[in-house]
Amino acid sequence: MKANLQVEGLQQESRFVQRLMNVIEKGGNKLPHPAMLFVYLSFAIILISWLLNSLGVNVVEPLTGETVHVQNLMSTEGVDYILTSLISNFAGFSSLGLVLVMMLGIGLAKQVGFFETFMRVSLTKVQSRFVTYAVIFTGIIGNIASDAAVVIVPAMAAMIYYSLNRHPIAGLLIGYAATIGGFTANLIIAGTDVLLSGITTEVIQGYNDTARAVTPVANWFFGMISVGMLVVVIAFVAKKYIEPRFGEYNSSMAEEGFLNHKESHISKQQIKGLRYAALSGILYVTFIAILTIPQNALLRGGGDSFLDSLFLSSIVPLLLGFFLIISLTYGFTVKSLTSLSDVPVLMGKSIAEMSGFIVLVFFAAQFIAYFNWTNMSTIVAVSSTNLMESMNFTGLPAVVLFIILCAVINLFVTSGSAQWALLAPVFLPIFYNVGFDPGYIQMAFRIGDSATNLLAPTSPYAILILGLMKQYDYRTGIGTLFSAMLPFAIIMLICWISLFVIWSLFGLPVGPGVYMYY
């Protein structure tokens, strides 16, 4: 009787969730490709600049007292700017070089098999009572390997849950919630930190050239603390809602022959490779620490403050060195590298996977450059700031509202870099004018951008997970997936915002030297 009720409950998908997801899916599917979105927005900026210039729109810049007018991109001067700045806008875009350099190291580690082996070992070498926590933790920190974690962690979690006589789809969904919902948190600096900080720097220095650059470590402290919080929150939701919802597993509902599939064995050589890679990584970190911590150390750059050190300003090259060391050590140990000549070939493959990002950056760079050149960023920032001040809505509540706005937009624009390139030119100057640090606002964006990833039906990862679910139970559908993800997304967002508010009220830095106000 109980089993029948559970099957019946699984078949009855929430009508409200179904309708809501259908609306989101239809709306998201109507949006153009992110790159084309910036093409259309760039043309819109050109037309709007002509209109606002014709109307004589202007504001008084509060810091200088100067009157700022909208510059017309359809004028001779504007056309000259469009044509002559095309290449420099792209080549000079802050995040482009930084991300590609990081991917040389991270991509090599992925190509030689380091990340896959690390995640598989992390999930299979733990006691059964700690499996849920291991799945969540591995999924969150696995975002350093980008989409590799989304492919590996949920699938491995499902197999482990099945071997422990627990429902495999519950394990699958817990792994998915950790990898996608916790994408913005990590213990170390990831490619996302480099990408977003580059966009933030590009925007804020385009608005105010005296503003300091936002470094990849700008959100490091809060990101590390977020890992612990998310492990607890996701585990709570899993125990309270997900595992009871699915109950006992009926293996007869799986695809024929699917459960006979056996996961490939982790060889002794792969374990040896992980150990040697870990040792080489520890030695590298120790060496860098020796060059950084002492007062007159080489990577202190002669400065008294650690915030002004050569270490922080050179974090991307140093991280590249770290990933190269562990990749080479692991690769030569397991024979996925046979000579140094293999390294540039594998690096080339990892850069090839970034082709979509490069195309996106080209068009996003033009949009941001046009928005700044026309002075529309100043017009919007000053006007919005004046409105916020007149409403006395310039403090932490405004930031919380911004997080919620990002969470909603994320349902339609699933690319985090595209969404930030879209929102940053508008909102960073507004918050900067009332004293908020750009790195702090970047962290606020990342919370909203991450939590609702689980509810975006246009995400390619949702299709992947849905396919895996059907292999374990052919009756599952999109309603099953999103009704299960709903409590994860809502509770994660509430807890993440709460942590951010508490963090802010105590005046703690979200990263080295990055506080609520600059």
Side-chain angles (χ1 to χ4, degrees), residues 388 391-405 431 436 440-441 444 497 500-501 504-505 516-517:
M388 290 169 66
M391 297 172 61
N392 196 27
F393 194 61
T394 57
L396 194 54
V399 179
V400 172
L401 187 62
F402 173 66
I403 295 174
I404 296 172
L405 174 65
F431 284 109
F436 286 101
Y440 175 85
I441 298 302
I497 291 175
F500 190 66
V501 168
S504 303
L505 292 176
M516 185 173 177
Y517 298 105

Side-chain angles (χ1 to χ4, degrees), residues 1-13 167 244-250 252-253 473-476 480:
M1 183 68 176
K2 182 179 178 182
N4 290 335
L5 289 174
Q6 289 168 345
V7 170
E8 195 176 310
L10 185 59
Q11 290 175 323
Q12 292 177 348
E13 300 169 344
H167 205 296
R245 171 180 171 80
F246 287 96
E248 295 180 8
Y249 179 54
N250 183 354
S252 66
M253 299 300 171
D473 191 331
Y474 67 86
R475 301 166 301 170
T476 57
T480 312

